[in-house]
Amino acid sequence: KECLARHPGASANVVNSLDKDDNHNVFAYAKRLRPLVERLVPELSRRIEKAVAARESREKALVAEIRAIPSAAGEERVLDCHAPYGPWPGDGGLARTARFAKNCGFTALDVNVCQGPTAWYESKVLRRSGDVSVHGDAVRQLVEACRENGLRAVAWRCCFYVNDRKFPEAAEACLRAGRCSAGRNMKPNRNILCPANPRNRREDVDAFAELAGMGVDVVEMDIIRYLGAEYCCCTVCREAFETKIGERVANWPEDVFKGAKRGGRLKEWR
């Protein structure tokens, strides 16, 4: 309607019929609109071409600006790859990803090889993703690919992230074991593990040690904090906090958030 309003020759009856026709006959609409659309196509095409040209101009200017930035001596340029087998699993995998990174001037390849209780490699600490039986051990492939291309191998671990969407069975197991984090409403979050839970912390340490012994140059620790200001309020955190302050919190966790003194102590304890 906005486009038609800009053309004095457009039929107001067509616009009104679109609003008032109770039959909702899309074919009738199309038949009435076709002549007007044909008149508008050249103008719309010009607008699209102009917008595309402006975008390409901005992109070229940005690339030129980035390329003009000098590299510092000894600078490390890391390519982060959240996909455990790279953008081309089954079609070159991490070997192809490493070659791509080298050709683009990166000095290190950082690959997400495990998250929460799940690993994309032959782990003795974490449960193995079913992808391992299809694509193999991601850590060993990462190390080999980086060595061949002169890159530093970085094993990226999302410590307390479960990924409920991809691994619902793992999320359910963590939920049953009382390992999940909980917000102020006390509802467990199946995607995030509690950072204060001893089992979660022990699993992290063991996973770090395992990765360090697999030939990688760096182990990245990601998602290692509480989810937010109102996390975590699970039973494990409650017991640990009450032990720390030496008193029982009757109305948990509301008494903690409402009381400035206790709220400060909870933040300190965290």
Side-chain angles (χ1 to χ4, degrees):
K1 290 167 64 175
E2 180 182 351
C3 290
L4 294 175
R6 295 183 181 182
H7 289 71
S11 173
N13 293 330
V14 174
V15 176
N16 293 332
S17 67
L18 293 177
D19 289 333
K20 298 178 180 179
D21 191 342
D22 294 329
N23 296 325
H24 300 287
N25 189 328
V26 67
F27 297 105
Y29 290 167
K31 185 176 181 180
R32 289 194 293 269
L33 283 176
R34 183 170 182 173
L36 296 174
V37 171
E38 289 177 347
R39 290 169 53 189
L40 290 173
V41 165
E43 179 184 340
L44 293 177
S45 296
R46 286 193 296 271
R47 291 188 184 184
I48 292 173
E49 291 172 359
K50 183 178 179 180
V52 170
R55 185 186 65 185
E56 292 178 347
S57 178
R58 289 194 299 271
E59 290 178 350
K60 289 180 180 179
L62 178 60
V63 170
E65 181 180 352
I66 293 173
R67 287 179 172 173
I69 300 174
S71 297
E75 178 182 69
E76 184 160 70
R77 297 176 294 279
V78 185
L79 175 62
D80 285 349
C81 182
H82 211 294
Y85 299 102
W88 305 284
D91 185 22
L94 291 178
R96 181 178 176 183
T97 306
R99 289 194 298 272
F100 172 84
K102 179 182 179 180
N103 292 337
C104 290
F106 289 97
T107 61
L109 179 59
D110 184 5
V111 177
N112 182 204
V113 295
C114 56
Q115 46 189 219
T118 306
W120 280 279
Y121 59 92
E122 298 289 345
S123 175
K124 297 179 181 179
V125 175
L126 308 172
R127 65 182 292 277
R128 301 172 192 174
S129 164
D131 295 334
V132 175
S133 61
V134 178
H135 300 295
D137 188 312
V139 174
R140 300 197 184 283
Q141 293 176 25
L142 169 66
V143 173
E144 292 174 2
C146 287
R147 295 293 176 269
E148 291 177 1
N149 290 277
L151 305 175
R152 279 162 56 83
V154 183
W156 175 4
R157 170 165 172 73
C158 296
C159 302
F160 299 127
Y161 179 56
V162 181
N163 196 343
D164 180 24
R165 175 178 292 183
K166 183 172 178 61
F167 304 115
E169 302 88 354
E172 184 62 29
C174 289
L175 184 65
R176 290 197 304 268
R179 300 178 58 188
C180 294
S181 191
R184 189 169 178 171
N185 61 2
M186 295 294 292
K187 182 179 180 181
N189 187 323
R190 292 165 58 96
N191 255 331
I192 303 293
L193 299 178
C194 171
N197 187 299
R199 179 175 175 182
N200 297 338
R201 296 166 69 90
R202 183 172 61 253
E203 184 176 82
D204 260 351
V205 172
D206 292 344
F208 295 148
E210 182 176 58
L211 287 169
M214 296 183 69
V216 300
D217 299 297
V218 179
V219 177
E220 178 187 355
M221 306 175 188
D222 191 13
I223 311 183
I224 61 174
R225 300 174 178 83
Y226 291 92
L227 187 59
E230 296 188 347
Y231 278 81
C232 173
C233 300
C234 71
T235 55
V236 172
C237 285
R238 177 179 184 175
E239 293 173 2
F241 177 68
E242 290 176 341
T243 299
K244 177 68 175 179
I245 66 175
E247 62 181 90
R248 178 78 173 173
V249 180
N251 184 25
W252 173 272
E254 290 305 312
D255 286 353
V256 173
F257 289 108
K258 290 179 180 178
K261 182 178 179 181
R262 274 185 177 161
R265 293 168 77 178
L266 176 63
K267 183 178 180 180
E268 181 183 351
W269 172 78
R270 285 180 26 168

